[in-house]
Amino acid sequence: MLSARKLHLLAGLKVDGLDLRTRELDFYVTRFIAIGGVSSIMTYLSYVGLIKIKIPENREGSWEVSCFYVFGVLTLSFSMFNLFLTSFMVVNAQGLSLRGPPGSVARCVEICKANWLLVRLTLVGSLVCLFLAAVSIVWMKHDWRLCTVNDEGSGEGSGGDEFADVDETKMTCVISSNIISAIIATSVFFGLFAYMIYQMRQIARFLAIPAHNLVVGDLTVALGENDNLDIVAEGAEAIPAAK
């Protein structure tokens, strides 16, 4: 009877501790799903932009086109990396926590925690590259630089047939008044982006949790400076009743 009571107490404690760990795992899984959704949208936008946006003929080989392709490809790469990573993490973490051996839920939480910073940094990188690609499109589509080709050559006639050999080709470029609209659009982009960063920092500061107040899902009791007791015994293979 006493052994059964003891097993019931230890099993109840283990189930309650597992419930805490499951809630902590759901915290990461939910956020990975949200970031995966944002990354899928950004993957679609960057892919469609690379294949659908028409490059003006007089802009081929310019720095605006080069920046557009570089930042567009970086956006596509970052967003696809985040999409695959978060999808893989969610599917396999839920499978391991549900069907894995004892301690699998705690292991999934640690893996998600280790990759949480990487996922956020990759998301920020894809957003920045998408913003810079949009700015490149603004400068690429505006005719802020008008170029004309001046051909200077010498012609020779023979038997009434005249032809010209071009000895030198010069290109003259001038800045048009359209540069004002490009500068205004870029300023609006940068202003909104800076305000977004400011608001995000403010919200993060208001909702920040101090390190000493952060609550995690493990149940450990400090017995000394370097000794902790795991009450739930998440890594234990079985519940001992004789000890």
Side-chain angles (χ1 to χ4, degrees):
M1 183 66 180
L2 185 60
S3 176
R5 290 286 186 179
K6 190 173 183 180
L7 284 173
H8 182 269
L9 176 62
L10 293 176
L13 184 60
K14 200 172 185 67
V15 170
D16 292 338
L18 184 62
D19 181 65
L20 291 177
R21 278 296 194 181
T22 304
R23 291 177 181 270
E24 189 176 14
L25 179 62
D26 291 340
F27 167 83
Y28 288 107
V29 169
T30 303
R31 279 145 185 82
F32 282 150
I33 292 175
I35 292 179
V38 175
S39 298
S40 64
I41 296 175
M42 295 183 63
T43 301
Y44 172 78
L45 291 176
S46 58
Y47 176 76
V48 172
L50 288 173
I51 64 176
K52 291 293 185 180
I53 292 181
K54 185 178 180 180
I55 306 299
E57 295 181 358
N58 59 341
R59 289 291 185 269
E60 294 181 357
S62 61
W63 66 268
E64 304 100 317
V65 177
S66 300
C67 290
F68 166 69
Y69 279 118
V70 168
F71 291 122
V73 170
L74 286 176
T75 304
L76 181 62
S77 302
F78 283 141
S79 57
M80 288 186 64
F81 175 82
N82 240 5
L83 178 61
F84 291 141
L85 179 62
T86 53
S87 302
F88 186 83
M89 188 76 66
V90 169
V91 173
N92 287 273
Q94 289 181 336
L96 177 61
S97 63
L98 182 63
R99 299 182 296 180
S104 297
V105 179
R107 181 183 174 189
C108 291
V109 171
E110 294 300 325
I111 295 174
C112 292
K113 186 187 300 183
N115 289 274
W116 178 234
L117 179 61
L118 175 62
V119 170
R120 288 188 297 173
L121 290 178
T122 309
L123 177 63
V124 172
S126 60
L127 288 173
V128 172
C129 291
L130 181 63
F131 164 76
L132 294 176
V135 173
S136 302
I137 294 174
V138 171
W139 286 89
M140 182 176 63
K141 291 292 185 179
H142 278 75
D143 293 331
W144 64 274
R145 185 178 57 187
L146 300 179
C147 298
T148 57
V149 177
N150 300 324
D151 295 337
E152 297 180 358
S154 60
E156 297 180 358
S158 176
D161 296 332
E162 296 182 355
F163 61 93
D165 294 328
V166 178
D167 297 331
E168 186 178 0
T169 301
K170 294 182 179 181
M171 180 177 292
T172 304
C173 296
V174 295
I175 296 177
S176 67
S177 58
N178 291 333
I179 194 174
I180 298 177
S181 59
I183 293 176
I184 292 175
T186 304
S187 301
V188 171
F189 268 118
F190 274 103
L192 291 176
F193 188 77
Y195 183 71
M196 180 186 69
I197 295 298
Y198 171 77
Q199 286 294 104
M200 291 176 60
R201 289 177 61 86
Q202 288 291 102
I203 295 175
R205 185 171 61 87
F206 292 151
L207 301 179
I209 302 175
H212 60 277
N213 290 332
L214 183 64
V215 179
V216 294
D218 61 335
L219 291 176
T220 57
V221 177
L223 301 179
E225 295 182 357
N226 299 320
D227 191 12
N228 295 323
L229 174 63
D230 186 6
I231 299 178
V232 180
E234 292 176 314
E237 294 292 336
I239 300 176
K243 296 182 180 180

